[in-house]
């Protein structure tokens, strides 16, 4: 089986050999799509400066990147539709697409036979339609089926995540532990992630659970990074995941900088306007290379009746 020697690496040396091969060279810059128009309600911002960015410049950056990370607010249908259109626009690049929402795979997924089989195909590959509020993700899933070079799932099982929450990174699946050893969080990133986990769990995360939840987050990030590296040759690879996984400070981009330093990575956050219609704060924008700001989805207070779920989504 091609690539089997690094599909499930058994030792740190195996992982390093895999990464050295993956990072051997960079592909030539890709052409920019002929045209792409944004709805008037969507704003493109440069993450580092917070300034408005012409869509042509954003497209150039996307087209030139080896790895593109597309975040999301999970219940925002506008964002899923926007990512589907982006993927279709770059269809001639035939990117490999890694989905947080599918169960982890070690080989590309088979394709559904047609639209009539789409939902049964999702079920077979571990896409929790109820949990992910299907059909919100339909636009980006259909675009991947139509245009991706290959489709992969990175979602770890509840059982695997439960083991990590209880036992830390040492209890991560064996094929991910070497990546976590090779690219550990520094103390500043650990502290930042801990604060985000507590805030993201409405301040109700018990102190005794913080370390385990941090380990679960970094292990999920490692599963995504591993497949992005594996899938990123002979063309680009794209990630479809929540905004928490595409942050430059402690998530997948950090791992890729350490594990695949020669490849260019573009982290795109898809954020919402604030309650009063204002753009997100600069501190939020700086977590990403590019930011697409969409209208806010009306929703109930997420902290009302909130209960901690050790393997819950961010």
């Amino acid at each position: 089986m091609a690539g089997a020697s690094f599909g499930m690496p058994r030792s740190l040396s195996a992982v390093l050999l895999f990464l050295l091969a993956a990072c051997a060279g960079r592909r030539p810059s890709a052409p920019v799509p002929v045209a792409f128009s944004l709805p008037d309600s969507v704003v493109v911002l440069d993450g580092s400066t917070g300034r408005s960015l012409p869509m042509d410049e954003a497209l150039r950056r996307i087209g030139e990147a080896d790895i593109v990370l597309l975040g999301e607010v999970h219940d925002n249908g506008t964002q899923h539709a926007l990512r589907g259109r982006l993927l279709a626009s770059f269809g001639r690049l035939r990117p490999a697409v890694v989905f947080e929402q599918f169960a982890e795979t070690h080989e590309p997924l088979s394709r559904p036979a047609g639209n009539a089989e789409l939902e049964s195909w999702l079920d077979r590959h571990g896409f929790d339609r109820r949990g992910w509020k299907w059909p919100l993700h339909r636009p980006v899933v259909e675009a991947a089926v139509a245009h991706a070079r290959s489709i992969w799932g990175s979602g770890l099982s509840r059982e695997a995540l439960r083991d990590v929450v209880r036992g830390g990174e040492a209890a991560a699946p064996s094929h991910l532990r070497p990546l976590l050893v090779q690219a550990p969080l520094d103390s500043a990133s650990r502290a930042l992630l801990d604060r985000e986990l507590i805030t993201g769990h409405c301040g109700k995360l018990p102190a005794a659970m913080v370390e385990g939840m941090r380990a679960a987050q970094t292990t999920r990030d490692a599963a995504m990074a591993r497949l992005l590296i594996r899938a990123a040759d002979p063309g680009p690879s794209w990630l479809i995941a929540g905004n928490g996984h595409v942050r430059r400070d402690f998530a997948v981009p950090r791992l890729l900088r350490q594990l695949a330093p020669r490849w260019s990575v573009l982290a795109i956050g898809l954020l919402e306007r604030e309650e009063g219609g204002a753009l997100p704060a600069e501190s939020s924008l700086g977590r990403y290379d590019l930011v697409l700001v969409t209208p806010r989805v009306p929703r109930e207070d997420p902290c009302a009746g909130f209960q901690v779920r050790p393997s819950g989504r961010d």
Side-chain angles (χ1 to χ4, degrees):
M1 178 174 65
S5 63
F6 54 77
M8 296 184 68
R10 298 179 181 178
S11 67
L12 180 57
S13 60
V15 173
L16 292 177
L17 287 173
F18 159 45
L19 294 175
L20 286 171
C23 300
R26 190 188 187 285
R27 293 179 301 280
S29 297
V32 174
V34 173
F36 184 91
S37 60
L38 280 175
D40 292 339
S41 61
V42 177
V43 178
V44 184
L45 303 175
D46 180 271
S48 61
T49 66
R51 295 177 180 173
S52 179
L53 194 70
M55 193 62 202
D56 286 351
E57 172 64 13
L59 293 174
R60 183 190 65 78
R61 294 190 194 181
I62 294 170
E64 291 180 351
D66 296 304
I67 299 177
V68 176
L69 312 176
L70 282 171
E72 65 181 50
V73 177
H74 294 314
D75 64 350
N76 189 310
T78 298
Q79 296 183 359
H80 300 312
L82 183 58
R83 294 184 306 171
R85 289 180 53 221
L86 274 173
L87 181 52
S89 294
F90 284 92
R92 68 171 176 268
L93 299 185
R94 303 293 290 173
V97 181
V98 177
F99 279 90
E100 170 190 9
Q101 294 82 6
F102 287 95
E104 186 185 33
T105 59
H106 303 294
E107 295 295 333
L109 300 180
S110 61
R111 307 290 177 122
N115 284 337
E117 196 209 2
L118 184 59
E119 292 188 351
S120 61
W121 176 75
L122 296 174
D123 296 340
R124 287 198 306 274
H125 294 293
F127 189 108
D128 179 0
R129 287 189 283 141
R130 181 178 179 182
W132 292 110
K133 302 183 186 300
W134 182 261
L136 282 177
H137 285 77
R138 180 185 287 274
V140 69
V141 169
E142 289 184 338
V145 169
H147 300 287
R149 180 174 74 256
S150 57
I151 300 173
W152 306 73
S154 72
L156 300 177
S157 69
R158 291 185 182 275
E159 292 75 21
L161 289 171
R162 190 177 300 119
D163 289 345
V164 173
V165 169
R166 292 172 177 170
E169 290 182 355
S174 60
H175 60 287
L176 298 178
R177 285 199 296 270
L179 278 71
L180 295 166
V181 170
Q182 175 66 12
L185 279 170
D186 60 29
S187 58
S189 296
R190 275 199 310 274
L192 177 59
L193 177 52
D194 289 353
R195 289 196 298 272
E196 291 293 326
L197 286 168
I198 293 169
T199 301
H201 289 81
C202 301
K204 298 180 180 180
L205 188 64
M209 288 185 63
V210 172
E211 184 175 355
M213 293 295 283
R214 182 206 313 139
Q217 179 78 8
T218 57
T219 301
R220 293 170 70 201
D221 290 339
M224 297 176 194
R226 168 183 169 268
L227 290 178
L228 287 164
I229 294 170
R230 180 174 178 183
D233 202 20
S237 61
W238 289 29
L239 176 67
I240 301 298
N243 284 318
H245 291 294
V246 309
R247 290 178 53 150
R248 299 177 66 252
D249 40 17
F250 57 62
V252 174
R254 177 195 65 84
L255 283 162
L256 293 173
R257 286 196 298 271
Q258 297 182 62
L259 299 174
R262 296 188 183 181
W263 282 5
S264 60
V265 177
L266 188 72
I268 305 176
L270 278 85
L271 307 184
E272 296 180 325
R273 287 185 177 271
E274 301 294 341
E275 289 281 1
L279 293 174
E282 287 189 16
S283 58
S284 297
L285 301 178
R287 300 167 181 170
Y288 313 97
D289 298 306
L290 293 179
V291 177
L292 303 181
V293 184
T294 69
R296 191 174 191 85
V297 171
R299 58 177 67 88
E300 297 179 0
D301 180 1
C303 291
F306 177 82
Q307 298 294 325
V308 173
R309 296 187 302 163
S311 59
R313 304 181 180 97
D314 45 81

